[in-house]
Amino acid sequence: MAGFAKRISISLAERFATTWVLLSDTTNFLSRSSIFAHYEGQLRELRQRLAIAKDDDLKLREAREELVALRASLRLQGYDLSLGSLDLTVKGFRNDAALSEGFKRIVVFIGAKDLWYITGDDNHRVLHDYLESDCDKRGINSILHKHYLWYRWNNGLLILSGADSERGDDFELLKEWAERPENRFAILSKLKKAR
């Protein structure tokens, strides 16, 4: 039922958004992905057609239908286009004073194909133990690295900073991992609910 409601919500949002907004959102998402080169020409051509056909309702409708079909195709491939308006920065270390700046504690386990996290008021080691126990109960044993972080959403920007218990080389590993577009989208997708 939740999937049906999400599809209805997406359909309504697309119906009421202008074609230019849909094109901008789609371009923004794809430009931050590894598949942008595949769609760059199509997006450029759509932008040109929209600019030329500004008073031709038929041509505008055709361009919109093509754009909506492109977005549907991307969703079928597993892409979450709503992530195009979100961004991630991984920088610096913080201590408990981060609480006064609006940061919250988070522990993230990264696997080969998924990631798991827990947030809370307990210290990072306690949160780690909760998450590790939960992963053990679910039979998750493909964890490649673990991170003890502070996070804060600033509008659409997710800020991740290392905690005192995060080792410097582990934090550099996270920064390197998060530079890959698919990994960046994976963490944004998971943590967009942790606002």
Side-chain angles (χ1 to χ4, degrees), residues 109 129-141 143:
F109 290 1
D129 293 346
Y130 286 143
L131 184 56
E132 188 169 67
S133 175
D134 184 53
C135 287
D136 287 345
K137 286 177 193 170
R138 295 191 292 157
I140 298 167
N141 55 11
I143 297 165

Side-chain angles (χ1 to χ4, degrees), residues 94-128:
R94 299 180 186 279
N95 57 31
D96 287 350
L99 289 167
S100 66
E101 299 170 18
F103 283 85
K104 299 175 185 172
R105 290 180 180 91
I106 186 169
V107 174
V108 178
F109 290 1
I110 297 176
K113 296 188 179 189
D114 205 354
L115 63 93
W116 305 268
Y117 74 93
I118 187 171
T119 64
D121 296 328
D122 292 314
N123 71 46
H124 286 91
R125 288 296 173 189
V126 171
L127 291 174
H128 167 271

